[in-house]
Amino acid sequence: MPLYTQLPDEVQKVDIIIAGGGATGCVVAARLADADPSLSILVIEAGPDGAGNPAVEYPAFFFSNIMPGSTTTAFHKSNPSKSLAAREVVVPSGCVLGGGSATNMMMYSRAQRSDWDSWNTPGWSADEMLPFLKKLETYHGPGSLEKHGSDGPIHVSSGTFTGKRCQDDFISAMNKLGWPEIEDLNSLDACNGVQRAVRYISPDGKRQDTASRYLRPRLEDGKHPNLSVVVESHVVRVLFEGKKASGVVYRPKADGATDRTVHAAKMVIVSCGALGTPAVLERSGVGDANVLRRSNIPEVVADVPGVGHEYDDHHLCLYSYRSSLTEDETIDAMVTGRRDPAELIQKNHAHLGWNVQDVTCKLRPTDDDVASLGSEFQEAWNKEFKDDPNKPLMMMALLNCFPGEPVSIPPGQYFGVSTFTTYPFSRGHVHITGPEVTDPLDFDTGFLADTKGLDLLKIRWAYKKQREVARRMSVFRGEMQAQHPTFPKGSKAAVAEYPEGLTGDVQDIDYSAEDDAVIDKWIGDNVGSAWHSSGTCKMAPREQNGVVDKDLGVYGVEGLKLADLSIVPKSVAANTYNTALAIGEKAADTFIKELGLSLGN
């Protein structure tokens, strides 16, 4: 069946409904259709189809997806946060077929072995998940194929361009600070080093999103006549007959459209992401009974207090630097309009298949670093990290451009560094405030809200370390004040411009207590989302605020499954696309077996 913007009236009932056509939902739909092409499957996606959209198809245009006016991204505004001086945080999430996989920065990054094992759930350990991690990919990168896949739908490669000079320079600077180059940081077991990045880009330069790699081929091959998709349609709630999920109500975005109901004979799968899935459940009467009552939900179908609790996201900061790079070594000219994107497309320029992230790092502090952060941090380090060398404290990446919206920035060539701490102690929440999809969310990111201030200390450490890396690069020409703290006059930490760079034996900056206070305030004013929202309907025992069991069934009801990053019970030290893909493959395998289908069909 084709892809619709308006579902034909005669489609009243299908076997399976997948509410949400994001990164994970597309995987599940494709694998279920493969297992039994006669199975009628309907995917309902709130966003548009991204086919033909340059911001989706060309990796180099990824920034377009998070710019004002984007048609592919939903921007969720949090409540004013006490820990961020009453600042509201805007958290983007993909709102297009393929979800975040169609809008993200395409960094190939896997969770650590200890991450999967920490979930402590049968069937979800690292060894049990490795077959799914391999199944999803065709890997063109470094390292052993014992840990990577060779015939999956998602290609992983270096793309069509690498800024080699800046990449080499950054790795050399990391080496000077004691961090080695590691061939494959994504082997599940490597940590505390730097790698030449590979990405979710094919060797010929195409983004590897799940809509184009899993779902669309099945819609077009003539072999899956019962797979259908309706886009631009927002799922309102799940319907129940007693305790059994029996269908959904959705709202088309077309002017004048009214709510539609579609029934499901076998299963309803909600895959609306860590911010969307809790809202769908709560509007359906599944969640914390107190939240449901104050939101005027007419019936509590199942009291599941964990829904919407413990929102988790990596804490991201971006830093910019002046450079001696040429116009061909960054995408600054393209982003600022000095190069015509249409001309690049016409020429099939190599930059189009580049996400500008040429280096990735997973890093741990030294013993001296830990001690310098105080006794409470030392205690937390000893408990959570010290005896597990598989756990990094921070991830860091190099970007060959100004890492943000280049407003009031002089024309030039820049590089940036992004950092996010991997296991936040802070947690937030996301809940509905009323029964309508238009009612605002009660959304608290929880950023920097941990009572001991440990997340703030981690980011302060990350700021200092990334800055020392940048200062040791031969292309470094100074910090850009726009993305650095403003230190007091006379401070040794003050930012500066260096037309000839820094030469000789570069020494670490000596930060005073006053400087640290300035850094901490800047972090509170600037820390944001890494677009890695997770954990709001976690897979855990119900008494531990769990929402789903090991088979992704929602507690207290029947026939309702979840499959997206909302089910992640504990943080992962990775960009989360790979985790979403693996959840999709594992979920599909689970559902296929539960439905009594053959994996070989």
Side-chain angles (χ1 to χ4, degrees):
M1 295 176 70
L3 185 149
Y4 302 102
T5 54
Q6 289 185 294
L7 195 65
D9 291 341
E10 59 266 24
V11 181
Q12 299 288 328
K13 187 173 185 178
V14 295
D15 292 318
I16 294 174
I17 295 173
I18 301 176
T24 306
C26 288
V27 175
V28 174
R31 295 304 191 192
L32 289 176
D34 285 347
D36 185 356
S38 70
L39 201 67
S40 56
I41 302 167
L42 174 63
V43 179
I44 306 173
E45 166 55 34
D49 181 17
N53 185 337
V56 172
E57 295 197 347
Y58 295 102
F61 297 157
F62 64 87
F63 270 132
S64 301
N65 292 302
I66 55 171
M67 292 300 168
S70 169
T71 61
T72 59
T73 300
F75 299 94
H76 306 271
K77 184 182 289 187
S78 77
N79 304 335
S81 172
K82 292 180 181 179
S83 57
L84 304 179
R87 182 164 62 92
E88 297 171 328
V89 178
V90 176
V91 178
S93 63
C95 189
V96 61
L97 195 62
S101 73
T103 63
N104 64 18
M105 294 181 71
M106 297 157 284
M107 176 66 82
Y108 179 68
S109 179
R110 280 172 157 186
Q112 299 294 95
R113 176 178 297 278
S114 56
D115 294 338
W116 294 109
D117 291 346
S118 73
W119 292 10
N120 195 30
T121 302
W124 292 84
S125 69
D127 285 342
E128 290 167 305
M129 289 302 294
L130 183 58
F132 300 109
L133 292 166
K134 295 174 69 173
K135 181 179 183 179
L136 66 89
E137 69 183 21
T138 294
Y139 184 72
H140 304 272
S144 170
L145 283 180
E146 291 182 5
K147 297 291 182 68
H148 293 283
S150 58
D151 58 359
I154 299 291
H155 286 262
V156 178
S157 78
S158 298
T160 55
F161 188 85
T162 296
K164 190 70 165 56
R165 180 163 70 114
C166 199
Q167 182 187 62
D168 288 344
D169 201 4
F170 189 93
I171 292 172
S172 175
M174 292 291 294
N175 296 160
K176 292 173 184 176
L177 291 173
W179 280 301
E181 181 176 354
I182 294 175
E183 182 183 45
D184 182 12
L185 266 176
N186 293 297
S187 66
L188 306 184
D189 299 299
C191 188
N192 207 25
V194 53
Q195 182 193 339
R196 297 174 192 272
V198 287
R199 31 225 176 197
Y200 290 107
I201 302 173
S202 62
D204 63 350
K206 299 296 187 288
R207 175 190 282 272
Q208 300 295 285
D209 62 286
T210 59
S212 67
R213 301 305 304 163
Y214 279 87
L215 190 60
R216 201 169 289 115
R218 277 123 180 127
L219 292 172
E220 298 172 352
D221 65 6
K223 299 176 182 178
H224 301 83
N226 295 309
L227 172 63
S228 56
V229 178
V230 60
V231 296
E232 301 177 26
S233 298
H234 204 134
V235 174
V236 179
R237 63 185 181 274
V238 178
L239 298 173
F240 291 91
E241 294 179 359
K243 295 288 186 179
K244 185 180 186 305
S246 60
V248 303
V249 175
Y250 75 91
R251 182 168 300 166
K253 290 185 177 180
D255 290 342
T258 57
D259 288 0
R260 283 278 310 267
T261 296
V262 181
H263 295 281
K266 297 181 182 294
M267 186 180 288
V268 175
I269 302 163
V270 178
S271 186
C272 296
L275 290 168
T277 289
V280 170
L281 292 183
E282 289 178 341
R283 288 194 297 267
S284 309
V286 178
D288 185 325
N290 294 321
V291 172
L292 302 183
R293 279 191 285 266
R294 68 172 178 253
S295 301
N296 297 315
I297 300 302
E299 179 185 2
V300 177
V301 177
D303 184 5
V304 187
V307 173
H309 287 279
E310 299 186 26
Y311 172 84
D312 189 8
D313 192 356
H314 296 132
H315 297 45
L316 177 75
C317 286
L318 299 167
Y319 311 101
S320 56
Y321 297 93
R322 303 175 189 273
S323 83
S324 62
L325 295 166
T326 68
E327 192 171 277
D328 288 334
E329 294 177 295
T330 80
I331 62 167
D332 289 303
M334 183 183 68
V335 172
T336 57
R338 288 178 283 137
R339 299 183 78 172
D340 181 8
E343 182 180 344
L344 296 176
I345 293 173
Q346 185 178 14
K347 293 181 178 180
N348 194 26
H349 196 285
H351 277 190
L352 295 174
W354 185 33
N355 71 343
V356 307
Q357 292 184 294
D358 290 333
V359 176
T360 183
C361 313
K362 293 187 176 185
L363 306 175
R364 288 167 62 89
T366 64
D367 290 343
D368 288 344
D369 287 338
V370 173
S372 73
L373 295 174
S375 59
E376 289 186 324
F377 189 87
Q378 180 78 63
E379 181 181 354
W381 173 263
N382 291 347
K383 179 181 178 182
E384 303 285 344
F385 293 90
K386 183 177 181 179
D387 296 328
D388 187 353
N390 195 234
K391 293 181 68 171
L393 187 71
M394 173 179 71
M395 289 188 65
M396 184 160 67
L398 168 70
L399 297 92
N400 280 42
C401 65
F402 181 85
E405 193 171 359
V407 178
S408 303
I409 300 300
Q413 312 309 317
Y414 302 93
F415 72 89
V417 179
S418 68
T419 67
F420 63 79
T421 51
T422 48
Y423 304 100
F425 291 101
S426 306
R427 290 292 184 275
H429 66 256
V430 59
H431 296 295
I432 60 171
T433 60
E436 297 296 327
V437 294
T438 52
D439 290 324
L441 292 175
D442 169 18
F443 176 33
D444 181 3
T445 64
F447 289 172
L448 305 185
D450 63 299
T451 56
K452 295 182 179 180
L454 302 179
D455 287 335
L456 181 62
L457 291 174
K458 289 188 287 185
I459 301 171
R460 186 204 299 168
W461 172 77
Y463 172 75
K464 294 179 181 180
K465 289 301 179 182
Q466 64 79 31
R467 193 173 174 191
E468 293 304 335
V469 175
R471 294 172 71 246
R472 285 162 173 80
M473 294 173 64
S474 64
V475 300
F476 170 80
R477 294 297 181 266
E479 302 90 352
M480 289 292 291
Q481 184 62 74
Q483 290 183 315
H484 285 268
T486 301
F487 295 99
K489 186 177 181 179
S491 167
K492 296 178 182 179
V495 303
E497 186 173 351
Y498 300 93
E500 304 301 321
L502 296 176
T503 58
D505 185 16
V506 177
Q507 298 297 305
D508 286 356
I509 296 169
D510 182 16
Y511 293 89
S512 67
E514 185 179 7
D515 293 332
D516 284 349
V518 171
I519 295 171
D520 292 350
K521 182 180 184 306
W522 184 91
I523 291 168
D525 291 340
N526 290 276
V527 67
S529 169
W531 323 320
H532 297 166
S533 301
S534 69
T536 51
C537 293
K538 67 181 183 178
M539 179 174 58
R542 195 172 184 174
E543 60 272 17
Q544 297 176 18
N545 266 345
V547 175
V548 297
D549 59 25
K550 66 180 180 61
D551 297 320
L552 305 181
V554 176
Y555 292 123
V557 296
E558 299 172 5
L560 179 60
K561 302 285 189 176
L562 305 187
D564 56 33
L565 288 170
S566 72
I567 67 101
V568 172
K570 291 188 178 181
S571 301
V572 297
N575 302 68
T576 49
Y577 180 31
N578 186 265
T579 304
L581 287 167
I583 289 171
E585 292 283 9
K586 169 68 173 177
D589 181 82
T590 300
F591 304 157
I592 286 167
K593 291 175 180 175
E594 190 169 315
L595 291 164
L597 306 177
S598 169
L599 288 168
N601 285 350

